[in-house]
Amino acid sequence: MSVFYTANVCGFQKKMEMARVQHYRLEGSPSFTSHINKVRKSIVKRILFIVGLLLAFNATAANLHIESFSKAKKTLEKNVYFDHRTTLYCGASFDTKKNITPPPGFKSDKYVKRSKKVEWEHVVPAENFGRTFIEWRDGDTQCVNNKGKAYKGRRCANKASKEYRLMQSDLYNLFPAIGSVNAARSNYNFTMLPAEPADFGSCQVKIDNRKAEPPIAARGRIARTYLYMEQSYSRYRMSKSQRQLMAAWDKQFPVSAWECKRAERIEKLQGNVNNVLKTRCH
């Protein structure tokens, strides 16, 4: 038994030694060097390809072209909503001069003047992502008025940060709303307020304790807008409870033909794909 074991060990050692010799011979040969270089080039190409895909995805995931909020609103009005002049929350119609025709039973006890005009609402409020910018929180050297006084907040972020301007002007996050509804919603997060009455008569928008509940017809579009903004901009993150609510609304209220058509138009104008809607519209 011991002789057999010793013989096997010796045989194995000889094979290992021969393999090492063969390796050293090959390592110095031109064919071996050429093979290694080909392998290295192949690995580098694959890495560059993967990096390119990631960069391409990121480049098309967010708004990279429209910096002006004013331009964004005009673009939506003229090139997206030209044949669908209907507000998000209340289903009110509006004309080319921004005049609102409210639905029957609509009423507004506050912001009465604003209830007569359409405004463009950030579904994900600008403040929600704006506060992630240092220019919003602390100001910037560029943010000094003509009297030498420094300022901060939205005005400073808009002046000093291109990234903020792009987020603020993202067409996918802007929807038409009756001015008074936009004002009342403010920057409040959405939730369910089952015990609260509607604040605008027949338009079932509810506002209470700095929270807002949208009408059923708007919930799916709202949810997919929140999901898009979180997916497209790394600096914006929902809370766990907010994400759960949006995921539930997304499933409960599927996309409509208009929601998909709107996304197609915006993609052509803004240049980036809304991947949330892309997967749900096809």
Side-chain angles (χ1 to χ4, degrees):
M1 183 73 175
S2 60
V3 174
F4 178 78
Y5 174 78
T6 303
N8 273 279
V9 170
C10 291
F12 177 75
Q13 288 176 336
K14 286 181 180 179
K15 288 180 180 179
M16 288 295 294
E17 185 62 30
M18 290 175 66
R20 278 196 290 269
V21 171
Q22 184 69 12
H23 171 76
Y24 291 133
R25 286 176 179 172
L26 286 172
E27 189 174 29
S29 69
S31 60
F32 181 82
T33 303
S34 176
H35 173 70
I36 292 299
N37 287 336
K38 286 180 180 179
V39 171
R40 286 173 178 167
K41 287 180 180 179
S42 176
I43 292 171
V44 169
K45 284 182 179 179
R46 290 180 184 181
I47 291 172
L48 290 175
F49 177 72
I50 292 169
V51 170
L53 284 178
L54 291 172
L55 290 174
F57 175 80
N58 288 333
T60 58
N63 171 30
L64 296 176
H65 300 292
I66 302 175
E67 280 189 60
S68 166
F69 183 41
S70 177
K71 179 183 177 181
K73 292 186 287 185
K74 291 177 182 177
T75 299
L76 285 166
E77 187 175 348
K78 293 181 180 180
N79 303 110
V80 178
Y81 283 85
F82 59 89
D83 60 352
H84 193 91
R85 297 184 181 278
T86 307
T87 63
L88 171 65
Y89 301 120
C90 304
S93 60
F94 60 96
D95 61 23
T96 56
K97 295 183 179 180
K98 302 180 182 179
N99 296 312
I100 284 284
T101 301
F106 175 87
K107 66 175 184 177
S108 181
D109 297 328
K110 296 181 179 180
Y111 314 107
V112 177
K113 288 185 178 180
R114 290 177 68 174
S115 68
K116 298 177 182 179
K117 294 287 185 179
V118 70
E119 295 178 2
W120 293 91
E121 155 101 333
H122 286 97
V123 165
V124 176
E127 185 175 6
N128 284 20
F129 54 79
R131 288 191 176 279
T132 66
F133 289 86
I134 191 170
E135 295 87 354
W136 185 299
R137 300 191 308 271
D138 303 327
D140 186 86
T141 54
Q142 299 179 55
C143 300
V144 180
N145 65 20
N146 54 14
K147 294 183 179 180
K149 185 177 180 180
Y151 58 88
K152 54 186 178 179
R154 183 172 183 169
R155 181 184 171 195
C156 183
N158 189 61
K159 180 179 179 64
S161 173
K162 179 178 180 178
E163 184 184 359
Y164 172 79
R165 291 193 296 272
L166 289 168
M167 287 186 73
Q168 177 185 235
S169 305
D170 193 311
L171 303 182
Y172 290 113
N173 188 37
L174 293 169
F175 288 79
I178 297 175
S180 56
V181 178
N182 182 28
R185 187 266 166 129
S186 185
N187 61 351
Y188 303 156
N189 283 329
F190 289 113
T191 189
M192 297 300 295
L193 300 169
E196 293 301 315
D199 285 79
F200 295 93
S202 62
C203 178
Q204 295 294 303
V205 174
K206 302 177 182 180
I207 310 289
D208 182 62
N209 195 27
R210 298 183 63 82
K211 298 288 184 181
E213 179 186 301
I216 290 174
R219 291 175 192 172
R221 283 172 286 172
I222 288 169
R224 286 178 282 277
T225 302
Y226 269 81
L227 294 171
Y228 160 78
M229 289 295 286
E230 184 175 59
Q231 184 183 93
S232 301
Y233 298 98
S234 60
R235 65 167 60 244
Y236 173 67
R237 285 292 174 265
M238 288 183 271
S239 66
K240 182 179 179 181
S241 60
Q242 189 80 346
R243 191 178 298 108
Q244 288 174 339
L245 178 63
M246 295 306 158
W249 283 355
D250 174 37
K251 291 180 180 179
Q252 191 175 358
F253 306 104
V255 294
S256 65
W258 162 244
E259 188 177 359
C260 294
K261 182 180 285 291
R262 174 182 180 273
E264 288 176 6
R265 290 176 178 177
I266 290 175
E267 182 180 335
K268 291 177 182 178
L269 293 164
Q270 190 166 274
N272 69 300
V273 177
N274 183 327
N275 289 299
V276 172
L277 286 174
K278 202 75 172 178
T279 59
R280 290 156 178 78
C281 290
H282 297 285

